[in-house]
Amino acid sequence: MMQGRLSSALARQLSAESDLSLQDYVVLVALTETPDGRVRLFALADGLGWERSRLSHHAARMANRGLVRKERCPSDRRGAFVVVTDRGRQAIEVAAPGHVASVRRLFVDVLGPDELDAIATASERVLEVLGGLDALAGADALDGSGAPG
């Protein structure tokens, strides 16, 4: 319940103070954290925990708004890169200060150091379990049994 309400509040803040949705913001953060602002579509989807089709559709909408562009991968005809544009960089630079302030106001500043440490520890444990599930799902996709193929 808390995660949903926090996400909704952050989405409202972004919408009110910028032209970005929370999903736009998340994609642009991932892209701008790379040196050249480009990530293979499948790697970006995996990193965000999104289905590839969801990211493909969302990236197309962002491209229509000039925030990103898709580029073909020269070494893989079926592959594509998602690349942040100058307009996308500008949009996140404008949106980031207000978003960071909202995260601090709604989450970080209302918790003490011990509470933040406990959340970090719990998050690491959950992410370890989820990483194991991802590895198992990858093995299942290879041969359907979960056994190395």
Side-chain angles (χ1 to χ4, degrees):
M1 185 159 146
M2 180 193 74
Q3 189 264 338
R5 290 186 67 189
L6 182 59
S7 292
S8 293
L10 293 173
R12 283 191 304 276
Q13 173 272 323
L14 274 170
S15 178
E17 296 179 14
S18 75
D19 293 329
L20 299 179
S21 69
L22 186 56
Q23 293 79 12
D24 295 338
Y25 188 88
V26 168
V27 170
L28 291 172
V29 165
L31 292 173
T32 58
E33 286 179 342
T34 65
D36 59 356
R38 57 191 269 144
V39 179
R40 288 285 299 264
L41 188 123
F42 76 87
L44 183 57
D46 289 348
L48 297 175
W50 292 11
E51 295 294 327
R52 291 178 188 162
S53 62
R54 175 185 177 194
L55 178 59
S56 183
H57 290 293
H58 193 79
R61 289 189 297 274
M62 290 177 73
N64 288 338
R65 293 169 39 224
L67 300 171
V68 301
R69 70 178 181 274
K70 285 187 179 180
E71 292 180 355
R72 289 196 171 273
C73 177
S75 62
D76 178 0
R77 291 188 334 213
R78 297 175 301 156
F81 287 95
V82 180
V83 184
V84 66
T85 63
D86 289 341
R87 184 174 179 177
R89 284 188 189 280
Q90 183 180 30
I92 196 157
E93 287 172 7
V94 168
H99 180 71
V100 170
S102 289
V103 170
R104 291 197 66 82
R105 180 176 49 82
L106 298 172
F107 187 78
V108 176
D109 292 345
V110 299
L111 300 172
D114 292 342
E115 292 167 315
L116 291 170
D117 288 343
I119 289 171
T121 300
S123 296
E124 289 170 9
R125 288 186 187 159
V126 170
L127 288 171
E128 285 175 18
V129 170
L130 293 173
L133 292 176
D134 291 344
L136 181 59
D140 285 343
L142 293 177
D143 73 358
S145 71

